[in-house]
Amino acid sequence: MKKTILFLILLTIIIYCLSEFVGDRIIKQIVESNISNSLDRDTEIGDLKINYLKGEAIAKDIKLNNEKFSEDLLTIKNVYVKLDSASIFSNIIRIDRVDIDGLNLNYFFKLRIKGLNDYKNVDDNVKSLDKTMIEGSGKSTSSKQFNISELNVRKINLSVNNPELKISDQISLKDMKFENIGNTKNSNDYKKVIRDVLKKIVNVVKTKIIS
């Protein structure tokens, strides 16, 4: 009897350790792959820790690469996620809250016609992402759906860069809050939310830099 109890205890510890360490690495790779395919840009998550008992996840040092320009399109210092742990293994991942702290956006642009300050004649790293949100990446992604009840983005910094014109400005943006976003039939389409944010960024650049 004692041996059976000891065996069950050891088995429980082993399963828990595997889910905590091996499981985190597998889920990290899946998340990186899905984001990369959805946005058509390589994505890297520095560290991901999931507490399955509490239904919490913390990700650090996230990077989204640019398609044509140097450096990263964006970097995120910390992401806190409160979710229904059991939903990770279902068709719809249900997330109660996401807190993003320390979002740095790198806006790179160059003028097609030098000296003409008109956004129509600007090549940047936002237009191609906006196009991907409309047309899709053409790459396979997970069939899973997700819904985020509340998304908070704090400490947002916009870096505007044009090496040719020697422009390198830092602009602080207001905190953002979104509700009920995802890719389920009852969610606000996350792609539209991203496009709306991109429009805000472009408007800031137009007002403070290009105009």
Side-chain angles (χ1 to χ4, degrees):
M1 184 66 180
K2 290 183 178 179
K3 289 183 178 180
T4 302
I5 295 174
L6 180 60
F7 172 77
L8 291 174
I9 292 173
L10 289 174
L11 183 61
T12 302
I13 293 173
I14 291 171
I15 292 173
Y16 176 77
C17 290
L18 286 173
S19 65
E20 285 290 316
F21 299 104
V22 179
D24 286 1
R25 287 200 295 269
I26 293 173
I27 292 175
K28 175 176 172 289
Q29 292 173 357
I30 293 173
V31 172
E32 286 176 335
S33 177
N34 282 332
I35 296 176
S36 297
N37 289 340
S38 296
L39 303 183
D40 199 20
R41 281 152 182 80
D42 291 338
T43 303
E44 178 185 339
I45 301 174
D47 185 58
L48 175 64
K49 298 292 185 186
I50 302 174
N51 189 318
Y52 297 92
L53 297 178
K54 291 184 178 181
E56 296 177 338
I58 297 176
K60 294 181 179 292
D61 301 326
I62 300 170
K63 296 180 181 180
L64 181 66
N65 290 340
N66 265 314
E67 190 175 50
K68 298 179 181 178
F69 294 81
S70 60
E71 300 186 30
D72 298 308
L73 173 60
L74 65 82
T75 61
I76 302 174
K77 290 184 179 179
N78 296 288
V79 177
Y80 169 81
V81 180
K82 179 66 177 176
L83 74 162
D84 178 356
S85 299
S87 70
I88 294 176
F89 307 101
S90 67
N91 291 328
I92 300 177
I93 300 175
R94 303 189 182 281
I95 303 170
D96 297 322
R97 191 176 90 247
V98 175
D99 294 329
I100 297 176
D101 287 294
L103 172 61
N104 295 298
L105 293 159
N106 290 315
Y107 179 86
F108 288 87
F109 75 96
K110 58 183 179 181
L111 300 176
R112 295 195 189 109
I113 303 175
K114 291 185 177 180
L116 182 61
N117 294 333
D118 187 343
Y119 185 68
K120 293 180 180 178
N121 294 293
V122 168
D123 279 328
D124 62 25
N125 57 341
V126 166
K127 287 181 178 178
S128 60
L129 180 57
D130 185 64
K131 184 178 179 181
T132 300
M133 292 297 96
I134 297 172
E135 300 177 357
S137 65
K139 297 180 180 179
S140 61
T141 58
S142 171
S143 60
K144 281 182 178 292
Q145 295 180 306
F146 71 93
N147 183 81
I148 302 173
S149 298
E150 181 182 322
L151 170 62
N152 301 296
V153 188
R154 307 183 184 95
K155 299 177 183 177
I156 309 170
N157 180 70
L158 173 62
S159 176
V160 183
N161 304 279
N162 183 304
E164 293 179 352
L165 300 178
K166 296 181 180 179
I167 295 175
S168 182
D169 288 350
Q170 305 294 320
I171 302 171
S172 294
L173 302 180
K174 293 182 179 179
D175 293 349
M176 299 181 185
K177 182 177 181 178
F178 307 94
E179 295 181 345
N180 190 39
I181 67 171
N183 61 353
T184 71
K185 64 179 181 179
N186 296 320
S187 305
N188 295 315
D189 187 0
Y190 78 96
K191 291 184 178 181
K192 184 180 184 301
V193 172
I194 292 176
R195 293 192 67 214
D196 289 343
V197 172
L198 293 178
K199 286 180 183 178
K200 289 181 181 180
I201 293 169
V202 169
N203 287 335
V204 170
V205 174
K206 281 183 181 178
T207 302
K208 296 191 177 184
I209 306 294
I210 296 178
S211 300

